[in-house]
């Protein structure tokens, strides 16, 4: 049980080290936009998509100004939810099914 706590501390440390949260971004905001991610983005509910666009625009603005958000506005490890992951998993599963079907 003790090892799980250590692993969680390492994950939090690495999460903060990555730095995207200091710009107000979530982990899913940083995914490379390949074809699967682009298709998953099309399937996002409008409010989630709009929230993502806002976070990315704000992060770009901060980056251009060489600034970060005040610490109380950083995305916390515990608050970062994989909002795109369910849609991405579905897209990948569908693509793999199509590829398997096309091999027949």
């Amino acid at each position: 049980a003790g090892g799980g706590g250590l692993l969680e501390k390492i994950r939090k440390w690495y999460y903060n080290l990555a730095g995207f949260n200091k710009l107000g971004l979530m982990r899913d905001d940083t995914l490379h936009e390949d074809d699967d991610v682009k298709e998953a983005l099309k399937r996002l509910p409008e409010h989630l998509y709009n929230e993502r666009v806002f976070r990315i625009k704000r992060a770009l603005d901060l980056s251009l100004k060489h600034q970060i958000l005040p610490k109380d506005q950083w995305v916390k490890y515990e608050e970062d939810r994989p909002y795109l992951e369910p849609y991405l998993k579905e897209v990948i599963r569908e693509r793999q099914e199509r590829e398997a079907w096309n091999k027949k």
Side-chain angles (χ1 to χ4, degrees), residues 31-41 52 84 88:
L31 292 174
H32 172 71
E33 288 193 23
D34 60 15
D35 290 340
D36 290 338
V37 172
K38 287 177 184 175
E39 180 59 34
L41 288 170
R52 172 190 169 90
L84 188 60
L88 185 57

Side-chain angles (χ1 to χ4, degrees), residues 1 3-21 27 75-78 80:
L6 178 62
L7 186 59
E8 194 67 11
K9 286 179 183 175
I10 291 170
R11 284 184 180 140
K12 284 183 184 181
W13 172 79
Y14 186 76
Y15 180 85
N16 286 313
L17 184 67
F20 57 82
N21 64 319
R27 187 178 296 115
V75 177
K76 293 169 188 61
Y77 176 81
E78 298 80 14
D80 192 332

